[in-house]
Amino acid sequence: DYGILDIKFNTNNNKQLLYTSNSDNSYSIFDFSSHSSNKYYIESSPSITTCNTLDIINNTKIILCSNDGYYHIYDYTSNEKISSVKSHEFGIWSLYINDENTFFTGSEDNSIKLWDIRSNNKPISVNNKSFDSSINSIIKLDIDSNIILTGSYDEKVTFFDLRKFPTELKQIKTEHSTWDIKQTKSHKGDNLLLMASIYEGFNIWSIDSSLNMIHKLRLPLTKEEDKYHRSIVYGIDIKQRKDSVEILSCSFYDNLIMHWNYHG
């Protein structure tokens, strides 16, 4: 009776836990060890909102981000609220945990912000110049642990050096919006970025240590039955195999999960 907008898998004390952020302003914890689940509503502003994304800091705190521009911090053990902060003008769609104290949020207000949970509810730094639309994904690059990249609705991939944030390091126009990004290596050794590209299906890029990107593949939306996705693609996941990259992609209105192998 509610939509699930984000999931995070967590292992603690031999418990296998799945955390979900939900469309009715709640988060749920599914315990695979005991086959039980618990649901917790987020105490926030009076508006009806959704919990868009969540993540866990060092098995001590849960951070949840809402569609009303708040982030919330809850205690990992007791699931009691520690704080709620009005951090963006509009909804927050992306969250990246940097270390045990700091994290990034990306929002529909076209800004990405760096926070420290010790900093009295004020951002350490803000970039609101690099984007013309929502920041939907934030990840750290596998090939350089000092660099994060963002995918945004305005068809850009933007790179930031953690040591120089909020200054933009590099920006690449992709000609497709991005909602979700995964990283892997091809069997040939290329570093790959796989992107769920909303209205443009999904895309695969290679990237080198100088942050040069080469477009490798686009699987567009189509109206043809059982060929490709016929609706907006929001999520992908991957598994590296010996001679290919195994891909799962999912789309919205056509209720599809599709299974691919990429041999490039």
PDB file of all heavy atoms in Angstrom, residues 210-243:
ATOM      1  N   SER A 210      41.851  10.153 -16.447  1.00  0.00           N
ATOM      2  CA  SER A 210      41.797  11.599 -16.700  1.00  0.00           C
ATOM      3  C   SER A 210      40.361  12.112 -16.804  1.00  0.00           C
ATOM      4  O   SER A 210      40.141  13.263 -17.182  1.00  0.00           O
ATOM      5  CB  SER A 210      42.559  11.927 -17.988  1.00  0.00           C
ATOM      6  OG  SER A 210      43.921  11.567 -17.873  1.00  0.00           O
ATOM      7  N   LEU A 211      39.412  11.254 -16.486  1.00  0.00           N
ATOM      8  CA  LEU A 211      37.980  11.571 -16.502  1.00  0.00           C
ATOM      9  C   LEU A 211      37.460  11.818 -17.919  1.00  0.00           C
ATOM     10  O   LEU A 211      36.482  12.548 -18.101  1.00  0.00           O
ATOM     11  CB  LEU A 211      37.659  12.764 -15.596  1.00  0.00           C
ATOM     12  CG  LEU A 211      38.167  12.673 -14.151  1.00  0.00           C
ATOM     13  CD1 LEU A 211      37.718  13.884 -13.356  1.00  0.00           C
ATOM     14  CD2 LEU A 211      37.720  11.394 -13.481  1.00  0.00           C
ATOM     15  N   ASN A 212      38.111  11.229 -18.895  1.00  0.00           N
ATOM     16  CA  ASN A 212      37.581  11.250 -20.252  1.00  0.00           C
ATOM     17  C   ASN A 212      36.546  10.138 -20.382  1.00  0.00           C
ATOM     18  O   ASN A 212      36.801   8.995 -19.975  1.00  0.00           O
ATOM     19  CB  ASN A 212      38.697  11.043 -21.278  1.00  0.00           C
ATOM     20  CG  ASN A 212      39.741  12.136 -21.216  1.00  0.00           C
ATOM     21  OD1 ASN A 212      39.408  13.321 -21.249  1.00  0.00           O
ATOM     22  ND2 ASN A 212      41.005  11.753 -21.097  1.00  0.00           N
ATOM     23  N   MET A 213      35.391  10.461 -20.941  1.00  0.00           N
ATOM     24  CA  MET A 213      34.310   9.496 -21.075  1.00  0.00           C
ATOM     25  C   MET A 213      34.009   9.230 -22.545  1.00  0.00           C
ATOM     26  O   MET A 213      33.971  10.158 -23.357  1.00  0.00           O
ATOM     27  CB  MET A 213      33.046  10.006 -20.365  1.00  0.00           C
ATOM     28  CG  MET A 213      33.176  10.042 -18.847  1.00  0.00           C
ATOM     29  SD  MET A 213      31.731  10.787 -18.027  1.00  0.00           S
ATOM     30  CE  MET A 213      30.382   9.798 -18.699  1.00  0.00           C
ATOM     31  N   ILE A 214      33.797   7.957 -22.868  1.00  0.00           N
ATOM     32  CA  ILE A 214      33.430   7.538 -24.225  1.00  0.00           C
ATOM     33  C   ILE A 214      32.115   6.778 -24.148  1.00  0.00           C
ATOM     34  O   ILE A 214      31.981   5.833 -23.352  1.00  0.00           O
ATOM     35  CB  ILE A 214      34.515   6.648 -24.853  1.00  0.00           C
ATOM     36  CG1 ILE A 214      35.833   7.410 -24.971  1.00  0.00           C
ATOM     37  CG2 ILE A 214      34.070   6.139 -26.219  1.00  0.00           C
ATOM     38  CD1 ILE A 214      36.995   6.558 -25.450  1.00  0.00           C
ATOM     39  N   HIS A 215      31.164   7.198 -24.960  1.00  0.00           N
ATOM     40  CA  HIS A 215      29.864   6.544 -24.959  1.00  0.00           C
ATOM     41  C   HIS A 215      29.964   5.210 -25.681  1.00  0.00           C
ATOM     42  O   HIS A 215      30.391   5.136 -26.829  1.00  0.00           O
ATOM     43  CB  HIS A 215      28.826   7.443 -25.647  1.00  0.00           C
ATOM     44  CG  HIS A 215      27.418   6.971 -25.456  1.00  0.00           C
ATOM     45  ND1 HIS A 215      26.613   6.624 -26.499  1.00  0.00           N
ATOM     46  CD2 HIS A 215      26.679   6.784 -24.331  1.00  0.00           C
ATOM     47  CE1 HIS A 215      25.430   6.254 -26.041  1.00  0.00           C
ATOM     48  NE2 HIS A 215      25.455   6.339 -24.729  1.00  0.00           N
ATOM     49  N   LYS A 216      29.544   4.123 -24.999  1.00  0.00           N
ATOM     50  CA  LYS A 216      29.696   2.781 -25.549  1.00  0.00           C
ATOM     51  C   LYS A 216      28.386   2.195 -26.075  1.00  0.00           C
ATOM     52  O   LYS A 216      28.383   1.465 -27.067  1.00  0.00           O
ATOM     53  CB  LYS A 216      30.258   1.840 -24.466  1.00  0.00           C
ATOM     54  CG  LYS A 216      31.524   2.336 -23.788  1.00  0.00           C
ATOM     55  CD  LYS A 216      32.705   2.343 -24.730  1.00  0.00           C
ATOM     56  CE  LYS A 216      33.237   0.952 -24.958  1.00  0.00           C
ATOM     57  NZ  LYS A 216      34.518   0.964 -25.719  1.00  0.00           N
ATOM     58  N   LEU A 217      27.287   2.491 -25.400  1.00  0.00           N
ATOM     59  CA  LEU A 217      26.035   1.827 -25.762  1.00  0.00           C
ATOM     60  C   LEU A 217      24.844   2.593 -25.225  1.00  0.00           C
ATOM     61  O   LEU A 217      24.880   3.097 -24.099  1.00  0.00           O
ATOM     62  CB  LEU A 217      26.008   0.402 -25.186  1.00  0.00           C
ATOM     63  CG  LEU A 217      24.733  -0.419 -25.440  1.00  0.00           C
ATOM     64  CD1 LEU A 217      24.645  -0.804 -26.912  1.00  0.00           C
ATOM     65  CD2 LEU A 217      24.712  -1.665 -24.571  1.00  0.00           C
ATOM     66  N   ARG A 218      23.795   2.692 -26.027  1.00  0.00           N
ATOM     67  CA  ARG A 218      22.508   3.210 -25.560  1.00  0.00           C
ATOM     68  C   ARG A 218      21.423   2.202 -25.910  1.00  0.00           C
ATOM     69  O   ARG A 218      21.317   1.768 -27.047  1.00  0.00           O
ATOM     70  CB  ARG A 218      22.186   4.563 -26.188  1.00  0.00           C
ATOM     71  CG  ARG A 218      20.762   5.067 -25.852  1.00  0.00           C
ATOM     72  CD  ARG A 218      20.533   6.484 -26.318  1.00  0.00           C
ATOM     73  NE  ARG A 218      21.384   7.391 -25.569  1.00  0.00           N
ATOM     74  CZ  ARG A 218      21.515   8.691 -25.881  1.00  0.00           C
ATOM     75  NH1 ARG A 218      20.889   9.200 -26.915  1.00  0.00           N
ATOM     76  NH2 ARG A 218      22.311   9.462 -25.147  1.00  0.00           N
ATOM     77  N   LEU A 219      20.632   1.830 -24.929  1.00  0.00           N
ATOM     78  CA  LEU A 219      19.450   1.006 -25.167  1.00  0.00           C
ATOM     79  C   LEU A 219      18.235   1.894 -24.918  1.00  0.00           C
ATOM     80  O   LEU A 219      17.852   2.132 -23.774  1.00  0.00           O
ATOM     81  CB  LEU A 219      19.442  -0.210 -24.241  1.00  0.00           C
ATOM     82  CG  LEU A 219      20.517  -1.250 -24.557  1.00  0.00           C
ATOM     83  CD1 LEU A 219      20.505  -2.361 -23.522  1.00  0.00           C
ATOM     84  CD2 LEU A 219      20.319  -1.841 -25.946  1.00  0.00           C
ATOM     85  N   PRO A 220      17.633   2.406 -25.985  1.00  0.00           N
ATOM     86  CA  PRO A 220      16.577   3.407 -25.837  1.00  0.00           C
ATOM     87  C   PRO A 220      15.233   2.781 -25.473  1.00  0.00           C
ATOM     88  O   PRO A 220      15.058   1.560 -25.512  1.00  0.00           O
ATOM     89  CB  PRO A 220      16.513   4.018 -27.243  1.00  0.00           C
ATOM     90  CG  PRO A 220      16.864   2.867 -28.129  1.00  0.00           C
ATOM     91  CD  PRO A 220      17.905   2.075 -27.380  1.00  0.00           C
ATOM     92  N   LEU A 221      14.292   3.645 -25.111  1.00  0.00           N
ATOM     93  CA  LEU A 221      12.920   3.185 -24.931  1.00  0.00           C
ATOM     94  C   LEU A 221      12.335   2.849 -26.295  1.00  0.00           C
ATOM     95  O   LEU A 221      12.715   3.398 -27.321  1.00  0.00           O
ATOM     96  CB  LEU A 221      12.066   4.263 -24.261  1.00  0.00           C
ATOM     97  CG  LEU A 221      12.537   4.768 -22.889  1.00  0.00           C
ATOM     98  CD1 LEU A 221      11.485   5.697 -22.295  1.00  0.00           C
ATOM     99  CD2 LEU A 221      12.835   3.633 -21.933  1.00  0.00           C
ATOM    100  N   THR A 222      11.388   1.933 -26.306  1.00  0.00           N
ATOM    101  CA  THR A 222      10.740   1.540 -27.560  1.00  0.00           C
ATOM    102  C   THR A 222       9.296   1.172 -27.281  1.00  0.00           C
ATOM    103  O   THR A 222       8.937   0.817 -26.158  1.00  0.00           O
ATOM    104  CB  THR A 222      11.464   0.347 -28.206  1.00  0.00           C
ATOM    105  OG1 THR A 222      10.796  -0.007 -29.408  1.00  0.00           O
ATOM    106  CG2 THR A 222      11.473  -0.864 -27.281  1.00  0.00           C
ATOM    107  N   LYS A 223       8.467   1.252 -28.285  1.00  0.00           N
ATOM    108  CA  LYS A 223       7.071   0.825 -28.169  1.00  0.00           C
ATOM    109  C   LYS A 223       6.889  -0.634 -28.578  1.00  0.00           C
ATOM    110  O   LYS A 223       5.798  -1.183 -28.471  1.00  0.00           O
ATOM    111  CB  LYS A 223       6.180   1.722 -29.034  1.00  0.00           C
ATOM    112  CG  LYS A 223       6.137   3.161 -28.548  1.00  0.00           C
ATOM    113  CD  LYS A 223       5.205   4.011 -29.399  1.00  0.00           C
ATOM    114  CE  LYS A 223       5.163   5.442 -28.884  1.00  0.00           C
ATOM    115  NZ  LYS A 223       4.275   6.295 -29.711  1.00  0.00           N
ATOM    116  N   GLU A 224       7.961  -1.250 -29.044  1.00  0.00           N
ATOM    117  CA  GLU A 224       7.873  -2.638 -29.472  1.00  0.00           C
ATOM    118  C   GLU A 224       7.796  -3.565 -28.268  1.00  0.00           C
ATOM    119  O   GLU A 224       8.567  -3.458 -27.319  1.00  0.00           O
ATOM    120  CB  GLU A 224       9.083  -3.008 -30.321  1.00  0.00           C
ATOM    121  CG  GLU A 224       9.165  -2.238 -31.621  1.00  0.00           C
ATOM    122  CD  GLU A 224      10.376  -2.672 -32.430  1.00  0.00           C
ATOM    123  OE1 GLU A 224      10.636  -3.889 -32.496  1.00  0.00           O
ATOM    124  OE2 GLU A 224      11.052  -1.793 -32.985  1.00  0.00           O
ATOM    125  N   GLU A 225       6.863  -4.486 -28.304  1.00  0.00           N
ATOM    126  CA  GLU A 225       6.646  -5.411 -27.203  1.00  0.00           C
ATOM    127  C   GLU A 225       7.877  -6.287 -26.969  1.00  0.00           C
ATOM    128  O   GLU A 225       8.442  -6.846 -27.909  1.00  0.00           O
ATOM    129  CB  GLU A 225       5.428  -6.294 -27.499  1.00  0.00           C
ATOM    130  CG  GLU A 225       4.918  -7.083 -26.306  1.00  0.00           C
ATOM    131  CD  GLU A 225       4.167  -6.209 -25.302  1.00  0.00           C
ATOM    132  OE1 GLU A 225       3.714  -5.123 -25.696  1.00  0.00           O
ATOM    133  OE2 GLU A 225       4.042  -6.652 -24.148  1.00  0.00           O
ATOM    134  N   ASP A 226       8.320  -6.392 -25.702  1.00  0.00           N
ATOM    135  CA  ASP A 226       9.361  -7.333 -25.277  1.00  0.00           C
ATOM    136  C   ASP A 226      10.723  -7.098 -25.948  1.00  0.00           C
ATOM    137  O   ASP A 226      11.542  -8.009 -26.025  1.00  0.00           O
ATOM    138  CB  ASP A 226       8.929  -8.784 -25.535  1.00  0.00           C
ATOM    139  CG  ASP A 226       7.694  -9.163 -24.735  1.00  0.00           C
ATOM    140  OD1 ASP A 226       7.541  -8.612 -23.631  1.00  0.00           O
ATOM    141  OD2 ASP A 226       6.896  -9.960 -25.226  1.00  0.00           O
ATOM    142  N   LYS A 227      10.965  -5.899 -26.461  1.00  0.00           N
ATOM    143  CA  LYS A 227      12.274  -5.631 -27.061  1.00  0.00           C
ATOM    144  C   LYS A 227      13.165  -4.906 -26.055  1.00  0.00           C
ATOM    145  O   LYS A 227      14.121  -5.465 -25.562  1.00  0.00           O
ATOM    146  CB  LYS A 227      12.126  -4.830 -28.352  1.00  0.00           C
ATOM    147  CG  LYS A 227      13.442  -4.628 -29.098  1.00  0.00           C
ATOM    148  CD  LYS A 227      13.216  -4.014 -30.462  1.00  0.00           C
ATOM    149  CE  LYS A 227      14.526  -3.736 -31.184  1.00  0.00           C
ATOM    150  NZ  LYS A 227      15.300  -4.955 -31.443  1.00  0.00           N
ATOM    151  N   TYR A 228      12.845  -3.636 -25.761  1.00  0.00           N
ATOM    152  CA  TYR A 228      13.531  -2.899 -24.720  1.00  0.00           C
ATOM    153  C   TYR A 228      12.465  -2.364 -23.763  1.00  0.00           C
ATOM    154  O   TYR A 228      11.286  -2.653 -23.888  1.00  0.00           O
ATOM    155  CB  TYR A 228      14.337  -1.728 -25.298  1.00  0.00           C
ATOM    156  CG  TYR A 228      15.406  -2.117 -26.295  1.00  0.00           C
ATOM    157  CD1 TYR A 228      15.632  -1.342 -27.423  1.00  0.00           C
ATOM    158  CD2 TYR A 228      16.200  -3.239 -26.099  1.00  0.00           C
ATOM    159  CE1 TYR A 228      16.621  -1.680 -28.340  1.00  0.00           C
ATOM    160  CE2 TYR A 228      17.191  -3.581 -27.009  1.00  0.00           C
ATOM    161  CZ  TYR A 228      17.388  -2.800 -28.128  1.00  0.00           C
ATOM    162  OH  TYR A 228      18.349  -3.144 -29.021  1.00  0.00           O
ATOM    163  N   HIS A 229      12.902  -1.557 -22.804  1.00  0.00           N
ATOM    164  CA  HIS A 229      11.943  -0.911 -21.916  1.00  0.00           C
ATOM    165  C   HIS A 229      11.023   0.011 -22.709  1.00  0.00           C
ATOM    166  O   HIS A 229      11.444   0.681 -23.656  1.00  0.00           O
ATOM    167  CB  HIS A 229      12.682  -0.092 -20.846  1.00  0.00           C
ATOM    168  CG  HIS A 229      13.406  -0.936 -19.853  1.00  0.00           C
ATOM    169  ND1 HIS A 229      12.773  -1.617 -18.843  1.00  0.00           N
ATOM    170  CD2 HIS A 229      14.732  -1.228 -19.716  1.00  0.00           C
ATOM    171  CE1 HIS A 229      13.666  -2.267 -18.111  1.00  0.00           C
ATOM    172  NE2 HIS A 229      14.859  -2.053 -18.630  1.00  0.00           N
ATOM    173  N   ARG A 230       9.781   0.075 -22.281  1.00  0.00           N
ATOM    174  CA  ARG A 230       8.799   0.945 -22.925  1.00  0.00           C
ATOM    175  C   ARG A 230       8.429   2.127 -22.031  1.00  0.00           C
ATOM    176  O   ARG A 230       7.569   2.933 -22.385  1.00  0.00           O
ATOM    177  CB  ARG A 230       7.537   0.146 -23.279  1.00  0.00           C
ATOM    178  CG  ARG A 230       7.827  -1.022 -24.214  1.00  0.00           C
ATOM    179  CD  ARG A 230       6.556  -1.751 -24.634  1.00  0.00           C
ATOM    180  NE  ARG A 230       5.855  -2.316 -23.499  1.00  0.00           N
ATOM    181  CZ  ARG A 230       6.167  -3.480 -22.927  1.00  0.00           C
ATOM    182  NH1 ARG A 230       7.195  -4.180 -23.383  1.00  0.00           N
ATOM    183  NH2 ARG A 230       5.474  -3.945 -21.910  1.00  0.00           N
ATOM    184  N   SER A 231       9.064   2.227 -20.870  1.00  0.00           N
ATOM    185  CA  SER A 231       8.753   3.294 -19.926  1.00  0.00           C
ATOM    186  C   SER A 231      10.046   3.754 -19.258  1.00  0.00           C
ATOM    187  O   SER A 231      11.108   3.162 -19.443  1.00  0.00           O
ATOM    188  CB  SER A 231       7.753   2.794 -18.882  1.00  0.00           C
ATOM    189  OG  SER A 231       7.494   3.779 -17.902  1.00  0.00           O
ATOM    190  N   ILE A 232       9.954   4.840 -18.496  1.00  0.00           N
ATOM    191  CA  ILE A 232      11.131   5.480 -17.901  1.00  0.00           C
ATOM    192  C   ILE A 232      11.935   4.513 -17.031  1.00  0.00           C
ATOM    193  O   ILE A 232      11.384   3.786 -16.210  1.00  0.00           O
ATOM    194  CB  ILE A 232      10.731   6.734 -17.104  1.00  0.00           C
ATOM    195  CG1 ILE A 232       9.535   6.454 -16.189  1.00  0.00           C
ATOM    196  CG2 ILE A 232      10.410   7.870 -18.039  1.00  0.00           C
ATOM    197  CD1 ILE A 232       9.062   7.657 -15.413  1.00  0.00           C
ATOM    198  N   VAL A 233      13.257   4.513 -17.232  1.00  0.00           N
ATOM    199  CA  VAL A 233      14.164   3.594 -16.545  1.00  0.00           C
ATOM    200  C   VAL A 233      14.768   4.316 -15.347  1.00  0.00           C
ATOM    201  O   VAL A 233      15.506   5.286 -15.500  1.00  0.00           O
ATOM    202  CB  VAL A 233      15.270   3.091 -17.491  1.00  0.00           C
ATOM    203  CG1 VAL A 233      16.216   2.159 -16.743  1.00  0.00           C
ATOM    204  CG2 VAL A 233      14.655   2.371 -18.689  1.00  0.00           C
ATOM    205  N   TYR A 234      14.460   3.812 -14.153  1.00  0.00           N
ATOM    206  CA  TYR A 234      14.915   4.449 -12.923  1.00  0.00           C
ATOM    207  C   TYR A 234      16.057   3.708 -12.231  1.00  0.00           C
ATOM    208  O   TYR A 234      16.814   4.312 -11.468  1.00  0.00           O
ATOM    209  CB  TYR A 234      13.757   4.570 -11.928  1.00  0.00           C
ATOM    210  CG  TYR A 234      12.905   5.791 -12.110  1.00  0.00           C
ATOM    211  CD1 TYR A 234      11.515   5.689 -12.222  1.00  0.00           C
ATOM    212  CD2 TYR A 234      13.462   7.054 -12.147  1.00  0.00           C
ATOM    213  CE1 TYR A 234      10.726   6.809 -12.383  1.00  0.00           C
ATOM    214  CE2 TYR A 234      12.682   8.181 -12.303  1.00  0.00           C
ATOM    215  CZ  TYR A 234      11.307   8.058 -12.417  1.00  0.00           C
ATOM    216  OH  TYR A 234      10.535   9.161 -12.577  1.00  0.00           O
ATOM    217  N   GLY A 235      16.186   2.408 -12.448  1.00  0.00           N
ATOM    218  CA  GLY A 235      17.163   1.681 -11.654  1.00  0.00           C
ATOM    219  C   GLY A 235      17.913   0.624 -12.436  1.00  0.00           C
ATOM    220  O   GLY A 235      17.376   0.016 -13.365  1.00  0.00           O
ATOM    221  N   ILE A 236      19.174   0.421 -12.062  1.00  0.00           N
ATOM    222  CA  ILE A 236      19.982  -0.658 -12.620  1.00  0.00           C
ATOM    223  C   ILE A 236      20.828  -1.263 -11.512  1.00  0.00           C
ATOM    224  O   ILE A 236      21.136  -0.605 -10.517  1.00  0.00           O
ATOM    225  CB  ILE A 236      20.912  -0.181 -13.761  1.00  0.00           C
ATOM    226  CG1 ILE A 236      21.759   1.002 -13.302  1.00  0.00           C
ATOM    227  CG2 ILE A 236      20.134   0.157 -15.015  1.00  0.00           C
ATOM    228  CD1 ILE A 236      22.819   1.409 -14.301  1.00  0.00           C
ATOM    229  N   ASP A 237      21.203  -2.522 -11.693  1.00  0.00           N
ATOM    230  CA  ASP A 237      22.215  -3.140 -10.849  1.00  0.00           C
ATOM    231  C   ASP A 237      23.025  -4.092 -11.716  1.00  0.00           C
ATOM    232  O   ASP A 237      22.579  -4.488 -12.791  1.00  0.00           O
ATOM    233  CB  ASP A 237      21.593  -3.865  -9.662  1.00  0.00           C
ATOM    234  CG  ASP A 237      22.552  -3.922  -8.477  1.00  0.00           C
ATOM    235  OD1 ASP A 237      23.730  -3.531  -8.623  1.00  0.00           O
ATOM    236  OD2 ASP A 237      22.129  -4.360  -7.388  1.00  0.00           O
ATOM    237  N   ILE A 238      24.210  -4.451 -11.246  1.00  0.00           N
ATOM    238  CA  ILE A 238      25.152  -5.185 -12.090  1.00  0.00           C
ATOM    239  C   ILE A 238      25.861  -6.260 -11.293  1.00  0.00           C
ATOM    240  O   ILE A 238      25.953  -6.212 -10.057  1.00  0.00           O
ATOM    241  CB  ILE A 238      26.206  -4.241 -12.706  1.00  0.00           C
ATOM    242  CG1 ILE A 238      26.926  -3.458 -11.609  1.00  0.00           C
ATOM    243  CG2 ILE A 238      25.578  -3.312 -13.711  1.00  0.00           C
ATOM    244  CD1 ILE A 238      28.046  -2.574 -12.122  1.00  0.00           C
ATOM    245  N   LYS A 239      26.374  -7.265 -12.022  1.00  0.00           N
ATOM    246  CA  LYS A 239      27.240  -8.289 -11.459  1.00  0.00           C
ATOM    247  C   LYS A 239      28.319  -8.599 -12.483  1.00  0.00           C
ATOM    248  O   LYS A 239      28.017  -8.835 -13.658  1.00  0.00           O
ATOM    249  CB  LYS A 239      26.450  -9.557 -11.122  1.00  0.00           C
ATOM    250  CG  LYS A 239      27.281 -10.641 -10.470  1.00  0.00           C
ATOM    251  CD  LYS A 239      26.427 -11.824 -10.080  1.00  0.00           C
ATOM    252  CE  LYS A 239      27.275 -12.890  -9.366  1.00  0.00           C
ATOM    253  NZ  LYS A 239      26.445 -14.043  -8.940  1.00  0.00           N
ATOM    254  N   GLN A 240      29.560  -8.558 -12.031  1.00  0.00           N
ATOM    255  CA  GLN A 240      30.676  -8.818 -12.932  1.00  0.00           C
ATOM    256  C   GLN A 240      30.848 -10.314 -13.142  1.00  0.00           C
ATOM    257  O   GLN A 240      30.932 -11.083 -12.187  1.00  0.00           O
ATOM    258  CB  GLN A 240      31.961  -8.222 -12.354  1.00  0.00           C
ATOM    259  CG  GLN A 240      33.173  -8.403 -13.239  1.00  0.00           C
ATOM    260  CD  GLN A 240      33.063  -7.604 -14.524  1.00  0.00           C
ATOM    261  OE1 GLN A 240      32.851  -6.401 -14.484  1.00  0.00           O
ATOM    262  NE2 GLN A 240      33.199  -8.267 -15.653  1.00  0.00           N
ATOM    263  N   ARG A 241      30.867 -10.725 -14.406  1.00  0.00           N
ATOM    264  CA  ARG A 241      31.160 -12.107 -14.753  1.00  0.00           C
ATOM    265  C   ARG A 241      32.469 -12.167 -15.523  1.00  0.00           C
ATOM    266  O   ARG A 241      33.033 -11.139 -15.887  1.00  0.00           O
ATOM    267  CB  ARG A 241      30.017 -12.708 -15.555  1.00  0.00           C
ATOM    268  CG  ARG A 241      28.722 -12.794 -14.758  1.00  0.00           C
ATOM    269  CD  ARG A 241      27.752 -13.786 -15.359  1.00  0.00           C
ATOM    270  NE  ARG A 241      26.580 -13.972 -14.539  1.00  0.00           N
ATOM    271  CZ  ARG A 241      26.513 -14.810 -13.512  1.00  0.00           C
ATOM    272  NH1 ARG A 241      27.573 -15.535 -13.187  1.00  0.00           N
ATOM    273  NH2 ARG A 241      25.398 -14.944 -12.809  1.00  0.00           N
ATOM    274  N   LYS A 242      32.964 -13.370 -15.777  1.00  0.00           N
ATOM    275  CA  LYS A 242      34.280 -13.540 -16.378  1.00  0.00           C
ATOM    276  C   LYS A 242      34.360 -12.905 -17.763  1.00  0.00           C
ATOM    277  O   LYS A 242      35.353 -12.261 -18.111  1.00  0.00           O
ATOM    278  CB  LYS A 242      34.628 -15.022 -16.452  1.00  0.00           C
ATOM    279  CG  LYS A 242      36.032 -15.289 -16.979  1.00  0.00           C
ATOM    280  CD  LYS A 242      36.350 -16.770 -16.946  1.00  0.00           C
ATOM    281  CE  LYS A 242      37.768 -17.032 -17.458  1.00  0.00           C
ATOM    282  NZ  LYS A 242      38.110 -18.475 -17.426  1.00  0.00           N
ATOM    283  N   ASP A 243      33.312 -13.055 -18.557  1.00  0.00           N
ATOM    284  CA  ASP A 243      33.358 -12.576 -19.943  1.00  0.00           C
ATOM    285  C   ASP A 243      32.296 -11.545 -20.271  1.00  0.00           C
ATOM    286  O   ASP A 243      32.074 -11.217 -21.426  1.00  0.00           O
ATOM    287  CB  ASP A 243      33.227 -13.755 -20.910  1.00  0.00           C
ATOM    288  CG  ASP A 243      31.900 -14.491 -20.748  1.00  0.00           C
ATOM    289  OD1 ASP A 243      31.187 -14.226 -19.749  1.00  0.00           O
ATOM    290  OD2 ASP A 243      31.579 -15.326 -21.606  1.00  0.00           O
TER     291      ASP A 243
END
